[in-house]
């Protein structure tokens, strides 16, 4: 009789052990700065959790995963402080051509930012003779790039990819000012909590209206500003900011009080003004 009870107890303990397992399953991290850029040489392992504060914050990214080593040892990292006195101009540089228009998109809170992914592959830029297609755009609060040591209130990153797998990011600084209608539909459907799946944005968005009138740009070679911090990214930071109202900035800040990586050493790099 006693043995039977012990058996029942053992079975119960075993079952309890089993039911805990799904809760302990590895947490998955979705939404890198650029989708589809990862090389699949390693077996399927969920990427390490990273964040913007504490033990998994920017100063520790390079220690969290061997795929994140560039965050620690890279010499061409982003963002940077753009000092106007250090800008060089080059006749060889052609103005960037931006072919944005109306687009349909999906929106997601990926736990690191609000990301809007384009449904069709029509919007693109021409950079030094190469075509880069817009894949997604997302926001940082406060800005990641600095101009003369100053952060803007926010920064918008348009992430593009070329057919041969190169990345070009167009950064637009956002300052406190007038309400910006171009972001109305995104702001009204912005998920406050992390979402597993993307949500379809109602209607269309007008990408061109998200840019300042003057498209004069500053260029340098850098990296993704989120792990894996992969280098070889062509950065285009627009000289002129756009505006958003304090209420618009506050709405984003309530979800992401701080989702910016601090500026990184410029090193030997040149920053060129168009
Ligand atoms: Zn970004």
């Amino acid at each position: 009789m006693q043995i039977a009870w012990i058996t029942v107890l053992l079975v119960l303990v075993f079952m309890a052990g089993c039911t805990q397992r799904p809760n302990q399953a590895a947490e998955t991290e979705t939404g890198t700065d650029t989708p589809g850029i990862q090389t699949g040489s390693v077996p399927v392992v969920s990427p390490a959790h990273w964040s913007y504060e504490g033990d998994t914050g920017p100063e520790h990214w390079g220690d969290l995963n061997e795929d994140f080593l560039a965050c620690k040892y890279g010499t061409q990292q982003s963002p940077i402080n753009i000092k106007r006195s250090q800008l060089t101009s080059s006749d060889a540089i052609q103005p960037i051509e931006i072919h944005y228009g109306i687009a349909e998109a999906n929106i997601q809170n990926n736990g690191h930012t609000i990301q809007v992914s384009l449904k069709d592959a029509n919007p693109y830029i021409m950079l030094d003779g190469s075509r880069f297609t817009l894949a997604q755009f997302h926001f940082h609060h406060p800005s990641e790039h600095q101009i003369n040591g100053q952060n803007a209130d926010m920064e918008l990153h348009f992430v593009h990819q070329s057919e041969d797998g190169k990345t070009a990011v167009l950064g637009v600084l956002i300052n406190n000012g007038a309400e910006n209608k171009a972001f109305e539909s995104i702001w009204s459907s912005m998920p406050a909590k992390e979402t597993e799946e993307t949500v379809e944005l109602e209607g269309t968005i007008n990408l061109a209206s998200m840019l300042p009138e003057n498209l004069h740009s500053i260029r340098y070679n850098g990296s993704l500003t989120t792990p894996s911090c992969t280098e070889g990214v062509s950065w285009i930071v627009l000289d002129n900011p756009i505006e958003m109202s304090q209420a618009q900035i506050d709405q984003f800040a309530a979800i992401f009080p701080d989702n910016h990586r601090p500026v990184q050493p410029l090193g030997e790099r040149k920053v060129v003004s168009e």
Side-chain angles (χ1 to χ4, degrees):
M1 197 60 176
Q2 229 172 11
I3 291 168
W5 273 113
I6 288 167
T7 311
V8 169
L9 266 173
L10 280 174
V11 167
L12 280 173
V13 166
F14 177 74
M15 281 171 68
C18 287
T19 51
Q20 268 175 16
R21 273 178 142 185
N23 296 335
Q24 291 163 347
E27 110 186 54
T28 53
E29 192 66 58
T30 53
T32 55
D33 218 352
T34 8
I37 203 173
Q38 239 148 35
T39 51
S41 56
V42 188
V44 183
V45 181
S46 63
H49 172 75
W50 58 271
S51 74
Y52 286 99
E53 60 177 4
D55 293 345
T56 53
E59 62 272 35
H60 303 292
W61 287 351
D63 301 316
L64 298 175
N65 187 300
E66 62 179 15
D67 293 336
F68 299 174
L69 285 175
C71 304
K72 189 176 182 179
Y73 298 111
T75 55
Q76 302 214 323
Q77 291 288 293
S78 294
I80 56 163
N81 173 21
I82 297 164
K83 294 180 187 160
R84 292 211 181 270
S85 59
Q86 288 179 346
L87 289 177
T88 55
S89 56
S90 166
D91 293 340
I93 278 198
Q94 298 163 1
I96 173 180
E97 276 179 38
I98 303 178
H99 300 268
Y100 285 180
I102 309 289
E104 291 189 341
N106 293 315
I107 189 167
Q108 183 186 26
N109 175 340
N110 64 22
H112 304 299
T113 188
I114 298 293
Q115 184 167 302
V116 181
S117 306
L118 281 291
K119 276 197 199 168
D120 39 35
N122 291 327
Y124 69 99
I125 59 172
M126 290 299 293
L127 182 65
D128 302 328
S130 295
R131 183 185 174 119
F132 289 81
T133 303
L134 180 63
Q136 48 102 338
F137 61 91
H138 61 265
F139 305 85
H140 297 274
H141 169 267
S143 75
E144 299 207 299
H145 286 93
Q146 293 179 330
I147 303 223
N148 288 345
Q150 295 288 312
N151 285 86
D153 289 310
M154 288 183 64
E155 185 167 340
L156 169 52
H157 286 163
F158 292 97
V159 181
H160 309 77
Q161 290 195 300
S162 68
E163 244 174 36
D164 56 351
K166 294 201 177 80
T167 303
V169 186
L170 174 68
V172 183
L173 298 171
I174 305 173
N175 280 331
N176 177 8
E179 187 186 351
N180 197 324
K181 299 273 185 206
F183 298 95
E184 218 168 21
S185 65
I186 296 169
W187 253 237
S188 65
S189 47
M190 188 186 280
K193 292 261 162 25
E194 185 172 350
T195 45
E196 288 262 319
E197 287 172 15
T198 59
V199 180
E200 203 165 315
L201 263 184
E202 270 184 42
T204 53
I205 46 172
N206 184 343
L207 292 161
S209 68
M210 295 176 184
L211 302 172
E213 255 175 54
N214 183 328
L215 299 176
H216 183 260
S217 70
I218 293 159
R219 320 258 187 97
Y220 77 97
N221 293 323
S223 72
L224 301 180
T225 66
T226 55
S228 55
C229 306
T230 304
E231 297 187 340
V233 174
S234 300
W235 271 96
I236 308 133
V237 179
L238 294 189
D239 217 337
N240 291 281
I242 57 169
E243 290 185 352
M244 275 192 194
S245 68
Q246 192 61 51
Q248 286 178 306
I249 294 167
D250 288 348
Q251 190 188 331
F252 187 89
I255 306 172
F256 296 103
D258 183 346
N259 68 339
H260 89 294
R261 184 189 197 195
V263 291
Q264 304 295 307
L266 180 63
E268 304 291 310
R269 289 175 287 177
K270 290 240 180 307
V271 184
V272 183
S273 179
E274 187 183 280

